[in-house]
Amino acid sequence: MQRTSPSLLGGAMIIAGTAIGAGMLANPTSTAGVWFIGSILALIYTWFCMTTSGLMILEANLHYPTGASFDTIVKDLLGRGWNVLNGLSIAFVLYILTYAYITSGGGITQNLLNQALGAEAIGRPSGSLIFCIILAAFVWLSTKAVDRFSTILIGGMVVAFFLSTGGLLGSVQHEVLFNTLAQGEQQYLPYIFAALPVCLVSFGFHGNVPSLVKYYDRDGKRVMKSIFIGTGLALVIYILWQLAVQGNLPRSEFAPVIAKGGDVSALLEALHRYIETDYIAVILNFFAYMAIASSFLGVTLGLFDYIADLLKFDDSPLGRSKTTLITFLPPLLLSLQFPYGFVIAIGYAGLAATIWAAIVPALLARASRKKFPNATYKVYGGNFMIGFIILFGLLNIVAQVGVNLGWFASFAG
């Protein structure tokens, strides 16, 4: 019997689900300094660079056996030193994100079950445990199971997104969106460095590329299309969300939101002065839960395949069980021990992500073209694009370090 190729939609939903997570809710606040036009330019620039670097991973990945992930590819093309650095950055980012999503998803699970079963029916550890076990089961089953469930989650997320932003989009004010009211300071460009690292985290999907190569049976064109569709959907949703928030809440009114680290409840409270937000808060809770769940599935699928390749576990039920334990047990135990402790660590996830989501992919593309000159699939742009993506990575490292050390201005409202 001829094997049916998985749909493009499934792969695109894995990519979109991984990218669209908690970073989206932070985007309007982190880009308040550069405001709407600046934020759109930053998002498009980041989308293009991150999509291109993902395709560079695909280009290198196609030269290796099905199931090969970063450990095999980077070690062969760039050597042991780069492989150790890349492996540490991948493990740090994916484990920290898994930990973050378990704690966030566990908190929402706890609240939902307590509302359904009665006050204090379960505690935070139980909520995290339930959230992790149920979703981990889909990753253990197969990439196809993640595809199907991610499609459902993304579908629900898109519906919740448009329900929650429909009223906001309908009340966008031109003078607020383009900040022509001349309230507060009017500088924009100095704040671009503070915006870039958050935009980068918002387009993180690179750990899923080897998984999709295996899923689509090494069909590079289908993987490429799923990446473009998935990241394109993420970009559209981000732009609409920027429009909804920055078109209603004046730039000068972001101070209390920034003071609370971009907390969603603080953002809704600030918006409440300009538009009715009670129903939006309810729908946004559903949106956030589906966004966290879909991102959790995408991130852990990439981590799962990386660990299986690193430790050479096979695809049998026993092999997948061993990989599942190593993937989920450390962040779950960390979440149970420190349910609110990820804020500082996750701030550096973007810095580590820059290494394996921008710089290493560009170096892989350059090395694979030297080693495999007759490759059937090559990313557009030639050597210029390799340099362009490396520059993007270095710019983000400088921005992340510079903002943390106070070298660059941070918008305070």
Side-chain angles (χ1 to χ4, degrees), residues 134-171:
I134 291 175
L135 293 181
F138 286 91
V139 178
W140 176 84
L141 279 171
S142 66
T143 303
K144 189 169 187 176
V146 174
D147 156 5
R148 296 291 169 83
F149 195 39
S150 292
T151 301
I152 294 170
L153 289 170
I154 294 289
M157 195 169 72
V158 169
V159 171
F161 174 79
F162 283 107
L163 285 176
S164 62
T165 58
L168 292 173
L169 290 171
S171 61

Side-chain angles (χ1 to χ4, degrees), residues 372-384:
F372 308 103
N374 299 319
T376 55
Y377 175 78
K378 287 185 180 180
V379 179
Y380 45 79
N383 289 329
F384 169 80

Side-chain angles (χ1 to χ4, degrees), residues 328-385:
F328 294 101
L329 196 56
L332 176 60
L333 293 176
L334 197 62
S335 176
L336 297 177
Q337 184 67 32
F338 305 104
Y340 305 101
F342 71 89
V343 176
I344 296 175
I346 204 171
Y348 292 93
L351 182 62
T354 304
I355 296 171
W356 68 276
I359 294 175
V360 166
L363 295 177
L364 286 176
R366 185 179 66 177
S368 68
R369 289 173 192 178
K370 290 180 179 178
K371 187 167 184 174
F372 308 103
N374 299 319
T376 55
Y377 175 78
K378 287 185 180 180
V379 179
Y380 45 79
N383 289 329
F384 169 80
M385 193 56 64

Side-chain angles (χ1 to χ4, degrees), residues 161-180:
F161 174 79
F162 283 107
L163 285 176
S164 62
T165 58
L168 292 173
L169 290 171
S171 61
V172 168
Q173 300 178 57
H174 183 274
E175 61 273 18
V176 174
L177 187 65
F178 296 102
N179 198 33
T180 56

Side-chain angles (χ1 to χ4, degrees), residues 26 33 120 131 155 201 274 279 297 321 343:
E120 304 304 321
F131 176 83
V201 174
Y274 297 90
Y279 77 97
L297 287 171
S321 296
V343 176

Side-chain angles (χ1 to χ4, degrees), residues 107-331:
I108 300 176
T109 301
Q110 176 196 7
N111 293 336
L112 289 174
L113 290 177
N114 284 343
Q115 289 174 13
L117 303 175
E120 304 304 321
I122 68 166
R124 181 64 170 267
S126 298
S128 296
L129 199 60
I130 293 168
F131 176 83
C132 183
I133 289 174
I134 291 175
L135 293 181
F138 286 91
V139 178
W140 176 84
L141 279 171
S142 66
T143 303
K144 189 169 187 176
V146 174
D147 156 5
R148 296 291 169 83
F149 195 39
S150 292
T151 301
I152 294 170
L153 289 170
I154 294 289
M157 195 169 72
V158 169
V159 171
F161 174 79
F162 283 107
L163 285 176
S164 62
T165 58
L168 292 173
L169 290 171
S171 61
V172 168
Q173 300 178 57
H174 183 274
E175 61 273 18
V176 174
L177 187 65
F178 296 102
N179 198 33
T180 56
L181 299 174
Q183 294 181 2
E185 68 156 288
Q186 297 299 302
Q187 294 188 76
Y188 301 96
L189 193 59
Y191 302 112
I192 188 63
F193 290 104
L196 283 177
V198 178
C199 291
L200 182 144
V201 174
S202 300
F203 286 103
F205 66 91
H206 299 64
N208 296 124
V209 176
S211 304
L212 290 183
V213 170
K214 181 166 66 175
Y215 186 46
Y216 285 114
D217 197 22
R218 309 179 60 78
D219 187 338
K221 288 187 177 180
R222 291 183 75 80
V223 178
M224 177 190 70
K225 289 177 182 177
S226 70
I227 289 173
F228 269 114
I229 295 170
T231 58
L233 176 62
L235 177 64
V236 169
I237 287 179
Y238 291 154
I239 290 175
L240 289 174
W241 180 239
Q242 295 288 113
L243 180 65
V245 175
Q246 294 183 346
N248 286 282
L249 184 62
R251 185 173 183 252
S252 56
E253 299 296 317
F254 263 86
V257 186
I258 294 169
K260 292 185 178 180
D263 183 70
V264 178
S265 60
L267 179 63
L268 291 172
E269 185 180 338
L271 278 168
H272 190 64
R273 296 175 55 189
Y274 297 90
I275 187 171
E276 178 60 45
T277 59
D278 290 344
Y279 77 97
I280 294 175
V282 175
I283 300 172
L284 268 182
N285 273 328
F286 283 101
F287 170 82
Y289 196 45
M290 288 181 282
I292 288 167
S294 62
S295 291
F296 176 86
L297 287 171
V299 165
T300 55
L301 177 64
L303 181 58
F304 182 95
D305 285 333
Y306 175 72
I307 289 170
D309 178 49
L310 177 66
L311 301 179
K312 309 306 176 190
F313 291 149
D314 60 30
D315 211 30
S316 67
L318 178 60
R320 293 186 72 85
S321 296
K322 290 190 288 186
T323 308
T324 299
L325 282 175
I326 296 174
T327 300
F328 294 101
L329 196 56

